Amino acid sequence: MRAKGITYDTGFVRGESVSRERFDPVTVERELRVIRDDLHCTAVRVTGGDPERIERAARCALALGLEVWFSPYPLELTADEMLALFADCARRAERLRGLGGEVVLVTGAELSLMNKGFLPGDSIDERVAFLLSPDRPAERIAEAGARVNEFLGRAVAVVREHFHGRITYASVPLEQVDWTPFDFLSVDLYRSAEIADVFAAGVRRLVDQGKPVAITEFGSATFRGAGDVGARGLEIVEYGEGHGPLRLNGEHARDEAGQAAYVRELLEAFDAGGVDTTFVFVFALHDHVHRPDADPREDLDLASYGIVKVFEDRKGDTYPDLDWEPKEAFGAVAAYHREH
């Protein structure tokens, strides 16, 4: 792989709520140093819903010599709101490009799932339920892909007015994106039990399309069996009215070794398939905290794709100045990047 990366979350924004409450420059700089020095990453996908936060983290990453993928992540926004967000981020990303270093702009992620107007349903849960329905009409999926492509055409035109570097879009396979206006073919790609036997062939088909391929999201939650469900690990979480996680839907066993094995196996598959760039999802999910002494249903980290477990009331042992502790997947990512 040319670029070895991880996603760094600055906070997902839905309405008035932000998934990462604390965001201070000292911690951001420290964590990005860990990503560079200890995880041996050469790239970071800086994602979130607040352009100011993304820019601050991206600026720090560039100063550390990391390739930056500037990645706004809209949730439940209208088309006009998304275009305004992308224009703002394009201007910010272009300013950063002027500082030197590589900056790639990502024009959103999984738009059909995360925003209204592409698939049936007024919420993410409803849209996912539609996709999982065995009798969903195929023509509705095709219509969603057409809507996504029409919107992306508008988004690219807006972004190109302000940003003169390379651009891409973090897609899901159902969207059937027309990659003509983009510099990278980028997919959020998880291996679940249903597609495990065709996963490697699917990666090769992506690479065979001719453009450099980026896997913008892949990883596993931390409960036993999470690798079999791939991207659906967060389904074991019960959420409150404000969309924040409350508890798990039952008792689940911790399996850090399983998470680590899954991540390494996918890194191997992407490397073997000729992928250009990969981003493990995710360094930390700050609202899915680890509660080792609480009721098992309160340990939200079991559903987290983070390769570190975040504490709410104390610091870690490995990095005593930070409020998290590495999981086994942290070591797996570090070892793979160091060896390759």
Side-chain angles (χ1 to χ4, degrees), residues 109-113 169-177 186-188:
E110 304 185 359
L111 295 177
S112 61
L113 294 174
Y169 163 66
S171 70
V172 287
L174 70 90
E175 293 170 333
Q176 295 294 302
V177 172
S186 299
V187 186
D188 293 355

Side-chain angles (χ1 to χ4, degrees), residues 130 135-142:
F130 168 78
D135 57 350
R136 67 179 189 271
E139 60 270 18
R140 299 299 296 274
I141 305 297

Side-chain angles (χ1 to χ4, degrees), residues 164-210:
H164 306 298
R166 294 191 288 179
I167 67 170
T168 190
Y169 163 66
S171 70
V172 287
L174 70 90
E175 293 170 333
Q176 295 294 302
V177 172
D178 174 7
W179 294 107
T180 303
F182 294 101
D183 299 291
F184 289 89
L185 189 165
S186 299
V187 186
D188 293 355
L189 192 62
Y190 292 79
R191 185 193 68 193
S192 64
E194 293 89 344
I195 63 167
D197 58 336
V198 297
F199 188 79
V203 172
R204 288 194 296 272
R205 282 195 299 272
L206 292 173
V207 173
D208 287 346
Q209 293 185 46

Side-chain angles (χ1 to χ4, degrees), residues 3 5-8 12 44-47 69-71 73 104-110 167-173 175 179 184-190 206 212-219 270 275-282:
I6 196 164
T7 295
Y8 186 78
F12 295 96
V44 61
R45 179 186 176 198
V46 183
T47 192
W69 288 44
F70 198 108
S71 186
Y73 203 112
V104 177
L105 183 62
V106 186
T107 58
E110 304 185 359
I167 67 170
T168 190
Y169 163 66
S171 70
V172 287
E175 293 170 333
W179 294 107
F184 289 89
L185 189 165
S186 299
V187 186
D188 293 355
L189 192 62
Y190 292 79
L206 292 173
V213 171
I215 306 301
T216 34
E217 185 177 309
F218 72 99
F270 297 143
V275 166
D276 178 86
T277 302
T278 56
F279 294 99
V280 177
F281 184 79
V282 56

